[in-house]
Amino acid sequence: MLLKERKSTLGYILKIPIKYSTYSAIMIAILKIIGGIIPTLNMFAIAKFINSAITLFKYHSGYSDIIIAITLIMICTAYEWIYDYLVTYDETRLENNLRVSFKVYIINKVTSLKYSNIENQNTCDLISRVCKEPEKQCKDAYSQFFDILSLLITICGVVGVLAMNVFWSALLIVAISIPLLKLAINGGKASYQANRQVRRYIREVDYLSEVLNGRDAVDERMLFCYSNKINEKWHRQFEKTRKLLFKVNLKWFIKAKSGGIITAFISLTTILILLFSVRSGQLSIGLFISIVNSETLLIQNLSWQLPSYVNSLAKNKEYIVDLIQILNLPGKKEYLDEPISPNVVVNSLEFKDVSFKYPGTEKYVLKNMSFKIEKGKHYALVGTNGSGKTTITKLITGLYEDFEGEILINGKSIRQYSQCEIKSMFSIVYQDFARYFISVKDNIYLGCVNKYQNKDIESFLDILSLKDTIEKLPNGLNSNLGKIQKDGVDLSGGEWQKVAMARAMMSSSELRILDEPTAALDPISENDMYQRFSSMSKGSTTIFISHRLGSTKIADNIFVIDQGKIAEQGSFDELIENNGLFAKMFESQKSWYFKS
Ligand SMILES: Nc1ncnc2c1ncn2[C@@H]1O[C@H](COP(=O)(O)OP(=O)(O)OP(=O)(O)O)[C@@H](O)[C@H]1O
């Protein structure tokens, strides 16, 4: 159910609720439009009631006029009574319907954005703004639009009646309303912009709160006793945020209120002048009383309610502008799709003169890099921090497409494969792998979502020496991990890494990439783990990244990366014999492996 991308924000404000919750959206529109007509109808009914009551007492005329007037007043009052309930009911329905359909659409849209977009800071901010209760923001914008329409109908009705009796007064009120409206629109925009600016601070404030209260930093917090220092920083950021919002709101409040005072002054002068018309018999007492009531309503509407609605709508309109930006960002629906089955087997993978710099940066991370990987062999990528190893894995797995040169898979450009095909080729464990707070079993099974079968995971647990740990858990493989669930248990850093590796093993992809997932293990355990992993991966292709060079002995070929280039390549023995960069690096780590 794709929403066509349209330029007009107003179009979106109306279209989204009507598309996703037609009945309640139409009901809200009808209720509010009738709600706008009621005050004028009421004004006429009251005038008619007073005039017919005077005529009845003075001239003993018939009751028919007064009965019609009373019936009309009763209808108007009854409508006002039920109005709030009906509108609240339909608004709640609208919000719920938007939550189950439109919110899902937005989440899917965000999930299908290109990886390079998600990594970008500005897009991250945009996503965080747009994903904050989209159902509420869209419902509010729609509702406020009809609140304004309803109020305008009321104002037009009252101003129309005034114009029929005291034309110049109506003209004056309209003239003062225009700058008031403009003021409200500018106020709305300014407060949304302020909110936008503030969101960045809020994120920082939230992060600092997490450092102060969260579980992750608890050990260091106790040890370094930095709470006061962070608290001061948190307070400064919080104050900055509060002051900015207060300033914008105060400015708007003063302007709106001063505009309101002028309107009130004009309306009161009108009432005084109308007294002369009553005296000369030009205006009936009934109409005069009713106009006074309506002028009071008008003052309230024009001086406060209308600017306040317009202000809120302008804020929500800015939200819709953000929403349109997200909808216009490039994405692929297939990012959401599962890997194709059967998997595409990677017989060869080749980098040909590949150069790459991250979007929005100028420095090349990889420069004219060429290497070839063949099916069934084990490869290691080694190099100093920041030399470009993880970047290579991101290009291999199709996360970035804006590289120069060629990446060929089975002789065909990676750009010619669909995302579902690419996903089926690789399984990967990153150094900052995810920890899912679900059961151990589900954590592992996530590695093969397209074949969610009862694959025997016991053998993987054995290879990863995870069996004992799992057996000790209260519900074995079904134990919940993390602290979200009541019975959740936590694992050590190394145990989490093993679970992430088991997930990669579950995948039926034959090319496995391990980007330093073993950093929490000691060098000897890491070495053992890779030995077991490689024997279990016989016939499959593996690429692993490690700073512990002893572990690279299992690799058929080692690529030494330096400053975005392949500085050396060969087997462990060949590289040691060469006595180059690799040999020097290994020399400094040799003592770690005495035991082996
Ligand atoms: N998203 C990004 N945007 C901009 N620059 C990035 C991004 N990710 C990484 N870099 C930069 O690219 C360079 C290579 O990073 P990469 O993560 O590939 O190095 P690495 O060899 O894996 O490092 P390490 O051994 O520390 O994990 C670094 O200078 C890093 O700052």
Side-chain angles (χ1 to χ4, degrees):
M1 190 158 44
L2 272 175
L3 193 79
K4 274 208 186 104
E5 288 155 12
R6 291 181 52 201
K7 288 235 151 60
S8 135
T9 42
L10 192 61
Y12 269 98
I13 289 175
L14 299 178
K15 187 169 173 163
I16 294 168
I18 291 173
K19 187 179 173 87
Y20 290 96
S21 181
T22 315
Y23 175 76
S24 34
I26 290 176
M27 279 310 290
I28 291 171
I30 294 174
L31 285 169
K32 296 207 171 187
I33 289 171
I34 298 177
I37 299 168
I38 289 289
T40 317
L41 202 65
N42 204 21
M43 190 169 90
F44 275 118
I46 291 173
K48 193 171 177 57
F49 173 76
I50 296 171
N51 289 338
S52 43
I54 293 172
T55 329
L56 181 70
F57 290 126
K58 258 191 182 167
Y59 309 109
H60 302 287
S61 59
Y63 283 90
S64 61
D65 275 0
I66 204 162
I67 289 173
I68 295 175
I70 289 174
T71 315
L72 267 180
I73 291 173
M74 279 168 65
I75 292 174
C76 292
T77 313
Y79 191 81
E80 276 165 6
W81 278 350
I82 57 166
Y83 175 81
D84 279 345
Y85 293 107
L86 294 180
V87 168
T88 309
Y89 172 74
D90 281 307
E91 282 183 350
T92 312
R93 270 185 63 164
L94 173 63
E95 196 173 321
N96 284 341
N97 289 343
L98 287 176
R99 189 174 296 122
V100 294
S101 50
F102 181 63
K103 190 168 183 173
V104 173
Y105 170 71
I106 291 290
I107 290 170
N108 281 347
K109 174 70 201 183
V110 168
T111 324
S112 66
L113 287 178
K114 277 174 87 173
Y115 180 75
S116 51
N117 276 316
I118 301 170
E119 269 216 329
N120 176 296
Q121 186 58 46
N122 287 338
T123 320
C124 259
D125 286 342
L126 188 67
I127 291 173
S128 113
R129 286 200 302 272
V130 168
C131 288
K132 196 161 186 287
E133 301 185 294
E135 68 283 10
K136 188 173 177 308
Q137 309 252 27
C138 290
K139 184 265 292 175
D140 285 349
Y142 182 79
S143 212
Q144 277 148 9
F145 173 79
F146 281 100
D147 279 336
I148 291 172
L149 190 66
S150 166
L151 216 57
L152 286 177
I153 294 173
T154 309
I155 292 169
C156 286
V158 178
V159 169
V161 175
L162 261 186
M164 280 191 282
N165 295 285
V166 206
F167 185 72
W168 59 265
S169 153
L171 208 67
L172 256 179
I173 287 178
V174 170
I176 190 80
S177 318
I178 295 168
L180 267 182
L181 275 183
K182 187 135 182 49
L183 192 81
I185 294 172
N186 289 345
K189 279 187 182 161
S191 52
Y192 186 81
Q193 294 297 346
N195 270 308
R196 208 179 225 192
Q197 219 175 322
V198 154
R199 191 148 301 246
R200 228 168 254 170
Y201 296 136
I202 289 178
R203 267 229 305 271
E204 228 173 293
V205 167
D206 287 348
Y207 169 71
L208 292 174
S209 302
E210 179 59 30
V211 173
L212 286 169
N213 309 311
R215 188 165 168 268
D216 281 356
V218 67
D219 302 343
E220 292 201 6
R221 201 165 58 224
M222 302 276 288
L223 187 67
F224 297 128
C225 299
Y226 56 57
S227 290
N228 284 344
K229 190 99 195 125
I230 299 279
N231 221 335
E232 273 170 34
K233 202 170 159 51
W234 176 86
H235 193 73
R236 269 200 308 275
Q237 288 298 92
F238 182 81
E239 277 298 292
K240 220 190 270 182
T241 314
R242 191 189 61 77
K243 280 184 186 156
L244 191 69
L245 281 179
F246 180 74
K247 208 168 123 189
V248 171
N249 286 332
L250 184 72
K251 215 163 134 186
W252 177 73
F253 184 84
I254 291 171
K255 281 185 184 171
K257 276 290 167 198
S258 4
I261 290 168
I262 300 172
T263 324
F265 179 73
I266 292 172
S267 303
L268 288 173
T269 318
T270 315
I271 291 170
L272 284 178
I273 293 170
L274 282 183
L275 272 177
F276 294 102
S277 309
V278 177
R279 207 170 159 201
S280 65
Q282 270 180 303
L283 199 65
S284 70
I285 296 179
L287 199 56
F288 173 75
I289 294 176
S290 169
I291 286 178
V292 170
N293 277 341
S294 309
E295 285 252 16
T296 320
L297 181 74
L298 207 61
I299 294 171
Q300 198 195 336
N301 285 346
L302 275 178
S303 62
W304 188 241
Q305 211 146 10
L306 187 61
S308 147
Y309 283 159
V310 175
N311 181 285
S312 310
L313 182 67
K315 254 193 243 176
N316 277 305
K317 214 170 151 217
E318 292 298 306
Y319 171 84
I320 303 287
V321 172
D322 279 349
L323 180 71
I324 296 172
Q325 266 196 61
I326 287 272
L327 295 177
N328 283 329
L329 282 176
K332 283 188 186 164
K333 207 181 143 289
E334 52 178 287
Y335 283 138
L336 293 171
D337 296 337
E338 291 173 9
I340 60 157
S341 185
N343 299 356
V344 176
V345 176
V346 181
N347 292 313
S348 70
L349 170 81
E350 191 174 1
F351 268 45
K352 268 188 162 177
D353 271 336
V354 172
S355 299
F356 176 72
K357 52 186 176 190
Y358 280 95
T361 63
E362 286 309 314
K363 193 178 152 246
Y364 277 97
V365 175
L366 305 182
K367 196 74 194 148
N368 300 326
M369 182 171 275
S370 299
F371 63 86
K372 191 166 181 183
I373 279 167
E374 283 161 3
K375 185 176 179 317
K377 291 190 175 171
H378 302 314
Y379 295 87
L381 299 181
V382 300
T384 49
N385 292 120
S387 54
K389 303 178 293 295
T390 300
T391 307
I392 294 172
T393 67
K394 287 183 177 171
L395 292 184
I396 291 177
T397 49
L399 294 180
Y400 290 97
E401 292 166 359
D402 307 326
F403 55 85
E404 295 159 32
E406 279 291 358
I407 298 178
L408 302 172
I409 297 176
N410 300 337
K412 192 168 114 181
S413 168
I414 192 170
R415 293 189 174 102
Q416 290 175 298
Y417 287 96
S418 71
Q419 278 300 318
C420 303
E421 286 173 319
I422 294 176
K423 279 184 231 176
S424 78
M425 297 174 190
F426 311 101
S427 75
I428 188 158
V429 191
Y430 281 113
Q431 43 188 308
D432 52 353
F433 58 86
R435 297 162 192 228
Y436 302 100
F437 292 168
I438 49 181
S439 72
V440 187
K441 198 172 174 181
D442 288 342
N443 252 289
I444 297 173
Y445 272 132
L446 283 182
C448 61
V449 278
N450 60 347
K451 292 191 203 101
Y452 210 81
Q453 63 204 12
N454 233 353
K455 212 166 166 177
D456 177 25
I457 58 176
E458 298 290 331
S459 53
F460 301 146
L461 300 183
D462 226 2
I463 292 166
L464 297 165
S465 350
L466 203 54
K467 216 170 179 171
D468 287 348
T469 312
I470 305 284
E471 273 169 7
K472 279 183 202 145
L473 296 178
N475 296 312
L477 270 172
N478 293 316
S479 307
N480 284 317
L481 298 183
K483 288 288 168 202
I484 284 183
Q485 318 209 31
K486 218 174 170 185
D487 60 348
V489 286
D490 212 350
L491 299 177
S492 73
E495 287 162 350
W496 269 112
Q497 287 183 333
K498 288 176 182 178
V499 169
M501 283 179 74
R503 184 158 59 238
M505 287 173 164
M506 264 326 260
S507 163
S508 45
S509 312
E510 281 182 40
L511 202 159
R512 296 188 176 127
I513 302 173
L514 305 178
D515 183 354
E516 259 196 289
T518 46
L521 305 182
D522 63 76
I524 292 168
S525 306
E526 183 192 66
N527 200 26
D528 288 348
M529 167 85 79
Y530 279 138
Q531 296 277 3
R532 275 177 280 154
F533 188 80
S534 83
S535 61
M536 177 263 153
S537 304
K538 267 205 170 71
S540 307
T541 319
T542 53
I543 303 173
F544 65 93
I545 298 175
S546 178
H547 285 287
R548 275 84 167 266
L549 303 185
S551 308
T552 60
K553 275 184 184 166
I554 54 158
D556 299 298
N557 208 353
I558 302 165
F559 298 121
V560 185
I561 321 286
D562 188 32
Q563 297 182 13
K565 291 189 173 157
I566 307 270
E568 294 172 12
Q569 65 173 294
S571 67
F572 183 87
D573 293 337
E574 283 166 356
L575 290 175
I576 294 293
E577 209 167 295
N578 271 359
N579 207 17
L581 182 61
F582 182 86
K584 279 193 193 107
M585 281 158 65
F586 183 67
E587 191 57 36
S588 62
Q589 297 182 1
K590 222 168 164 180
S591 58
W592 297 352
Y593 302 98
F594 275 152
K595 196 179 150 195
S596 57

